[in-house]
Amino acid sequence: MPGYKDTVRPFSNEAMNIVYVEYDMPGPSRMPFSAAPDKNGYLWIPDFGVANKITRLDPKTGEMKDFPVPHIGTGSVHSAVPAADGSVWLTEQGPNKLGRWDPVTEKITEYQDSFVAGHEGSEDGGSKHTVRLDPSGRAWASGGPFTMYDPETGKFTHFDEVKTAYDVKPDKNGDVWFTSPQSNKIGKVDGKTLKLTQWSPPTTDAYPRRMEIGPDGMIYSGEYRGGKMLQFNPQRQTFKEFPLPGIDPSPYAMGFDADGYLWYDSHNMDIVARFDTKTGKVIEYPFPHPEPAMREFFRDAQGRMWYGTAPNNKVGYFYLAGKNGAAESAGK
């Protein structure tokens, strides 16, 4: 069409050395949101679609095995992460439940959280979004409201001052960090006292969504609406922002690679990009499908960056040619 070439953003020669390896999901409309590696090399996939399952992938053989959640109705499994004891924790966004897959029985036990009176069964009444485990084994879940579940007591703790949290990440000290896009804040809960503190980025309506804790202890979050990478120094309690390239950077999934670079996908520009936290330099890489819609990046023991692409019903990983994972993939 006339003027088409003027709309295409070019990629550098350096951006042509990215390699993708992908696996098709075993059924249609699974909507895989991510793929998280466990200690045995398997990948765990939350099926957000109507399947109401989590799926285990053996990357060496491509075999996938499904494990259904007990919930009857729309479970909307949003997140699934392995724990140190071999179990897998998951969130069911629709019914406001946490779940735990048992490695011995291979069954999922659900833990129902309470709803706000008068809003039972609705997202406004309660939801579970992303789950992470702290060093003591407690399960923290973003959603509404921000919650913590203690397996020893079987009780949920609600942090009602955070009406809606989006991402959650425990640090090495046992403190738990989170983002709250609607209130335009990032925050921290002290793992011992449960005291909660929040900070507002410099950009109004930055809409911080996903976040990562850097090797240097800095907190990073993608400003989904602000089009920037946000850096927060916990010691000084100061922010620094880095503009990202493109007309609509919309950073979403995030993850650090083995070399300390921070990767993100652009939700609206169909690319993945590598961000240098020291210089702010960004290299954009093409993605083989439209609408990547990646939710999270997870790095495995070989340094490969795993993702799910829900609109394309695939999971996979990427690496740079000549870097981590190249030798193994070449021998497949």
Side-chain angles (χ1 to χ4, degrees):
M1 295 181 66
Y4 165 74
K5 290 184 178 180
D6 294 335
T7 71
V8 178
R9 301 179 67 239
F11 292 98
S12 66
N13 291 333
E14 189 177 10
M16 295 298 104
N17 68 335
I18 194 167
V19 180
Y20 295 92
V21 177
E22 295 186 324
Y23 303 79
D24 291 320
M25 294 299 294
S29 303
R30 290 298 185 90
M31 295 183 70
F33 268 10
S34 57
D38 67 15
K39 60 185 179 182
N40 298 315
Y42 292 110
L43 281 300
W44 290 91
I45 304 162
D47 296 322
F48 189 72
V50 296
N52 272 16
K53 299 172 180 176
I54 61 173
T55 302
R56 184 180 65 192
L57 164 66
D58 183 339
K60 295 180 180 179
T61 65
E63 178 187 9
M64 293 194 187
K65 184 175 181 179
D66 291 328
F67 302 95
V69 299
H71 179 76
I72 303 300
T74 303
S76 302
V77 182
H78 197 290
S79 175
V81 294
D85 63 0
S87 65
V88 177
W89 285 82
L90 58 111
T91 57
E92 296 179 43
Q93 189 170 10
N96 195 27
K97 295 178 179 178
L98 286 178
R100 179 184 181 273
W101 178 84
D102 188 294
V104 177
T105 65
E106 297 194 340
K107 302 293 184 182
I108 294 173
T109 301
E110 295 175 319
Y111 307 97
Q112 178 71 65
D113 198 359
S114 59
F115 285 93
V116 175
H119 295 276
E120 290 83 1
S122 71
E123 189 168 353
D124 289 338
S127 68
K128 295 286 177 283
H129 187 275
T130 299
V131 63
R132 288 294 189 275
L133 301 174
D134 68 17
S136 65
R138 297 176 299 183
W140 296 76
S142 63
F146 187 38
T147 59
M148 181 268 287
Y149 177 76
D150 189 338
E152 292 188 2
T153 64
K155 294 182 179 180
F156 285 93
T157 298
H158 293 179
F159 298 88
D160 293 321
E161 56 267 56
V162 185
K163 186 176 181 181
T164 304
Y166 199 86
D167 205 2
V168 54
K169 293 288 191 304
D171 64 22
K172 62 182 180 180
N173 299 318
D175 298 329
V176 180
W177 294 82
F178 64 90
T179 59
S180 182
Q182 285 84 351
S183 62
N184 200 45
K185 294 178 180 179
I186 67 168
K188 183 188 77 170
V189 177
D190 187 294
K192 295 179 180 178
T193 66
L194 300 188
K195 177 185 177 182
L196 188 147
T197 308
Q198 298 186 77
W199 299 269
S200 298
T203 297
T204 303
D205 196 25
Y207 211 78
R209 296 184 87 168
R210 291 299 182 189
M211 66 181 300
E212 287 292 329
I213 301 174
D216 56 0
M218 296 289 189
I219 308 300
Y220 294 89
S221 180
E223 295 187 8
Y224 188 77
R225 292 178 181 167
K228 303 170 186 176
M229 189 63 69
L230 181 68
Q231 181 194 76
F232 179 71
N233 186 320
Q235 300 298 323
R236 299 180 179 178
Q237 298 188 22
T238 55
F239 287 100
K240 186 176 182 179
E241 295 177 314
F242 301 85
L244 300 176
I247 192 172
D248 188 6
S250 53
Y252 201 111
M254 296 173 60
F256 277 94
D257 67 17
D259 295 322
Y261 292 105
L262 180 59
W263 288 79
Y264 69 90
D265 87 305
S266 171
H267 209 61
N268 297 329
M269 297 199 308
D270 296 354
I271 62 162
V272 297
R274 192 185 75 174
F275 172 78
D276 189 328
T277 61
K278 297 178 180 178
T279 66
K281 178 184 176 181
V282 174
I283 301 175
E284 295 178 314
Y285 297 84
F287 187 67
H289 313 287
E291 295 187 68
M294 299 168 174
R295 303 286 171 166
E296 299 191 78
F297 289 153
F298 289 93
R299 187 177 81 235
D300 68 11
Q302 295 173 257
R304 304 175 300 189
M305 302 293 286
W306 284 87
Y307 61 86
T309 172
N312 299 290
N313 209 38
K314 303 173 186 290
V315 297
Y317 61 86
F318 60 83
Y319 62 88
L320 299 181
K323 296 289 290 183
N324 302 304
E328 188 213 44
S329 295
K332 291 183 69 173

